[in-house]
Amino acid sequence: MSGNRTFTMIKPDAVSKSLSGKIIAQIENAGFRIVAMKYTQLSKTDAEAFYSVHRERPFYNSLTGFMSSGPIIAAILEKDNAVEEFRKLIGSTNPEEAAEGTIRQLYAGNIEQNAVHGSDSDENAIIEGSFFFSKLEEY
Ligand code: IDP
Ligand code: MG
């Protein structure tokens, strides 16, 4: 393997604003290789399962409603130190706190509708990638 992997989603807010192309270009320009990619829509139940670590949080119901409200683009990405490098590329959860030029600073609407997901650990990257992709869909 030529690098570590992370998992991302372009969230429904960014897809509906036709920002997918710009975001994918920024990801590729930052040196990430696309390992797997799909355009799909989560059901509420799917979103609840994906975000189950957050089930006790006050924003869980709103978040999972938002994440199932429209299509998303899910992808596995590869680069050395992928998880950390990708978190740097997307910026802080709250776009008001995200560094200049990061994807969330550029494109996110608010702390919930924040344009993109990025895994927070190598372990979660594998779990989250496997939620969407089989081994046969990874190249
Ligand atoms: P992350 O996406 O930067 O890793 P997490 O804390 O894992 O942030 O939260 C998962 C997602 O839940 C966020 O990306 C965002 O969409 C939503 N979220 C996080 N904190 C809040 C909040 O305080 N209010 C509303 N939504 C939130
Ligand atoms: Mg997170």
Side-chain angles (χ1 to χ4, degrees):
M1 193 161 47
S2 62
N4 306 109
R5 290 178 177 195
T6 192
F7 171 78
T8 187
M9 290 182 282
I10 302 176
K11 297 186 178 185
D13 58 321
V15 171
S16 72
K17 291 181 204 158
S18 301
L19 293 168
S20 305
K22 282 189 175 121
I23 291 172
I24 292 166
Q26 188 165 349
I27 291 169
E28 288 191 313
N29 288 339
F32 290 87
R33 188 180 76 79
I34 296 168
V35 173
M37 181 168 273
K38 85 173 51 158
Y39 183 66
T40 186
Q41 182 164 353
L42 295 170
S43 67
K44 181 74 157 64
T45 307
D46 293 331
E48 286 167 0
F50 184 87
Y51 282 108
S52 62
V53 292
H54 293 310
R55 66 187 168 276
E56 306 301 337
R57 304 276 206 100
F59 58 81
Y60 180 64
N61 188 50
S62 176
L63 170 65
T64 54
F66 159 59
M67 286 302 297
S68 57
S69 67
I72 58 144
I73 293 172
I76 297 172
L77 304 171
E78 192 173 78
K79 187 183 181 177
D80 288 343
N81 204 17
V83 166
E84 195 184 327
E85 289 292 305
F86 194 71
R87 298 286 308 196
K88 264 193 251 168
L89 181 69
I90 68 177
S92 301
T93 308
N94 185 348
E96 288 175 19
E97 292 164 12
E100 201 65 30
T102 59
I103 293 174
R104 283 169 166 168
Q105 185 268 324
L106 290 169
Y107 303 123
N110 58 54
I111 193 170
E112 178 181 88
Q113 304 201 4
N114 60 0
V116 281
H117 169 83
S119 303
D120 63 6
S121 66
D122 289 348
E123 188 191 1
N124 283 334
I126 291 166
I127 293 168
E128 292 170 0
S130 308
F131 188 92
F132 285 87
F133 301 101
S134 75
K135 281 288 158 213
L136 285 170
E137 296 173 301
E138 298 176 21
Y139 302 99

